[in-house]
Amino acid sequence: MTQPILSEGERRAWVDRGYLHLEGFVSAEACAVLRERMAELLESFDPSGLGTVFSTDDQRHAQDRYFLDSGDRIRFFFEALALDDRGCLTVEKARSINKVGHALHDLDPVFDAFSRQPTLATLAHDLGLAQPLLLQSMYIFKQPGIGGEVTCHQDSAFLHTEPLSCIGFWFALEDATLENGCLFVEPGGHRRPLACRFRRDGYTTRMEQLDPAPLPTEGLVPLEAKTGDLIVLHGQLPHRSAANRSPRSRQAYTLHLIDGTASYSADNWLQRAADKPLRGFV
Ligand code: FE2
């Protein structure tokens, strides 16, 4: 039997607060390996042609397809402020990307190895996942000057199972501060019901309100984090991050897990091809 990673106090904190801040969970070197690998992926990414896809509301349909087909691929999503009205980049390519997703953990060997390190399997077990499946990965840039805000949400609204089982791992690949857009969470907010659900029908999506009480916009607490820290987020925990108007980026890697014993909702936005089933840690 593998030794647990979480102490008794951390387990209690998880149950009470719905999040954990595990300092120095991965090494600074491991973070550098991911940053360097992403720089290589960006180098080989050709944005020509994609600019128009993301530039105007007329292109909404193409944008939706590009996003909705990304569940089992590696795709690049621009910062809203990185494109002008004609879809031309207003900043250099390496500074233009908001995030890369959503199957880095399956398709790229470097992200695969990071995402399936044995300590994460033990952690997933400690957190109560009976049959953890790696559902979604994102590399988030929070670019200096133009990094966009992420409004308050619950991850289970987007990654829904019955019963609810989503857990998010958020790795700080650089220091996250109040200035460059660190996470904010509502301690204990994971006891709230799911406020809404993001549902997909073919290539259209809609947000459905489930609970009349809105998620909080004030009173969340900031979680400043150092490079290598891991923040674990319960799927119902309200969280957000502010825009980054500072001169420093705030890169992070996120991995979302679900329990294979729960049923994955057929109208989730993230769907994978039948020949690319979800995998666990092995
Ligand atoms: Fe989230």
Side-chain angles (χ1 to χ4, degrees):
M1 190 63 197
T2 319
Q3 279 291 101
I5 285 185
L6 296 180
S7 67
E8 206 40 55
E10 286 167 334
R11 282 172 200 252
R12 270 200 304 276
W14 171 248
V15 171
D16 289 347
R17 302 204 296 245
Y19 74 94
L20 289 172
H21 184 168
L22 304 174
E23 295 180 4
F25 192 87
V26 294
S27 68
E29 293 73 33
C31 295
V33 167
L34 287 200
R35 292 198 308 269
E36 283 156 23
R37 178 59 186 151
M38 182 46 69
E40 287 174 7
L41 292 175
L42 258 181
E43 189 59 41
S44 55
F45 163 62
D46 177 9
S48 60
L50 259 189
T52 49
V53 169
F54 285 93
S55 59
T56 68
D57 284 344
D58 312 342
Q59 300 293 330
R60 190 81 240 170
H61 191 60
Q63 285 181 41
D64 287 349
R65 278 188 173 257
Y66 186 79
F67 168 69
L68 291 171
D69 284 340
S70 69
D72 50 20
R73 301 176 204 199
I74 297 175
R75 289 196 156 170
F76 297 74
F77 300 90
F78 291 110
E79 285 288 357
L81 294 179
L83 298 168
D84 65 17
D85 293 346
R86 292 169 301 129
C88 297
L89 288 180
T90 57
V91 293
E92 58 174 311
K93 182 176 76 171
R95 287 286 175 92
S96 69
I97 303 297
N98 169 288
K99 67 180 174 187
V100 178
H102 289 90
L104 284 158
H105 61 290
D106 281 336
L107 300 178
D108 184 82
V110 175
F111 282 91
D112 180 3
F114 181 94
S115 305
R116 291 190 166 84
Q117 54 188 296
T119 48
L120 292 183
T122 307
L123 178 59
H125 177 266
D126 288 0
L127 293 166
L129 292 174
Q131 211 179 98
L133 292 174
L134 282 63
L135 173 61
Q136 169 186 278
S137 48
M138 289 188 285
Y139 192 103
I140 300 163
F141 290 85
K142 211 61 136 174
Q143 300 283 4
I146 59 168
E149 171 191 16
V150 176
T151 56
C152 192
H153 66 281
Q154 297 163 302
D155 289 338
S156 283
F158 299 88
L159 303 171
H160 187 265
T161 62
E162 288 183 16
L164 298 175
S165 66
C166 177
I167 292 178
F169 290 169
W170 188 99
F171 297 92
L173 302 182
E174 297 178 312
D175 292 353
T177 65
L178 285 170
E179 288 71 40
N180 69 1
C182 69
L183 284 176
F184 282 72
V185 302
E186 183 192 29
H190 61 306
R191 294 195 192 83
R192 288 175 178 270
L194 203 55
C196 54
R197 271 209 58 200
F198 187 63
R199 292 186 190 269
R200 171 178 182 172
D201 179 8
Y203 279 102
T204 61
T205 57
R206 68 193 164 88
M207 191 62 91
E208 182 189 5
Q209 198 71 29
L210 300 177
D211 191 87
L215 291 178
T217 50
E218 301 297 324
L220 279 68
V221 303
L223 298 181
E224 293 192 298
K226 292 279 183 204
T227 305
D229 289 2
L230 166 59
I231 292 170
V232 185
L233 300 167
H234 188 286
Q236 282 153 271
L237 187 81
H239 60 285
R240 66 175 181 84
S241 64
N244 182 10
R245 298 294 175 252
S246 85
R248 289 178 41 226
S249 63
R250 191 231 65 186
Q251 297 189 14
Y253 176 63
T254 69
L255 192 60
H256 286 89
L257 311 180
I258 53 168
D259 200 320
T261 61
S263 92
Y264 189 69
S265 302
D267 59 357
N268 275 328
W269 80 264
L270 195 163
Q271 299 294 331
R272 293 172 61 119
D275 61 347
K276 296 177 187 165
L278 292 177
R279 290 167 47 215
F281 284 99
V282 286

